Amino acid sequence: MKLMFASDIHGSLPATERVLSLFSQSGAKWLVILGDVLNHGPRNALPEGYAPAQVADKLNPFASRIIAVRGNCDSEVDQMLLHFPITAPWQQVLLENSRLFLTHGHLFSPDNLPALAAGDVLVYGHTHIPVAEKRGEIYHFNPGSVSIPKGGYPASYGLLDGNTLSVIALNDQQVIAQVAINP
């Protein structure tokens, strides 16, 4: 299975357009959005090209191929603009030998893990910092932020291709972090 991950769009139209272009080229079946879709939030500066209504208009044609979770900056007003659900605090994707636990990262996180089995993957955003690694028996994966990267990292997204999770720079396609799950 091939999945693409985007997190912390925060209403950036150029980031959304780039993500959707890459998604269309990727061959991924689903675009997983890990929260903070339209609103920039009170702690963040306005991202480049801040245009929440236009971001919704760009995402909506892909609604049947989007799996999303609610971020701490997402609201019911945001949901009114989007044609795919964003209010679930978490989702799960079952793989052949493990599951992906999808969350934004403000409720469940590396410091507050949900009940996971050995080999499962915590997939989260929120920190805007890329992560792809195994910690103990659990994999941790954060695709970073497509609009407001932090920690000196470039804007980035994630890709699951077979059993490899990769964080990839949005603009130059360089792999930032990578881990093989259940090799």
Side-chain angles (χ1 to χ4, degrees), residues 71-94:
N72 60 307
C73 295
D74 295 322
S75 71
E76 288 155 13
V77 172
D78 299 333
Q79 180 63 84
M80 294 170 71
L81 295 175
L82 297 166
H83 298 165
F84 54 91
I86 64 161
T87 58
W90 53 269
Q91 300 266 14
Q92 296 181 82
V93 173
L94 301 178

Side-chain angles (χ1 to χ4, degrees), residues 151-162:
Y153 291 98
S156 58
Y157 68 98
L159 198 63
L160 171 65
D161 192 355

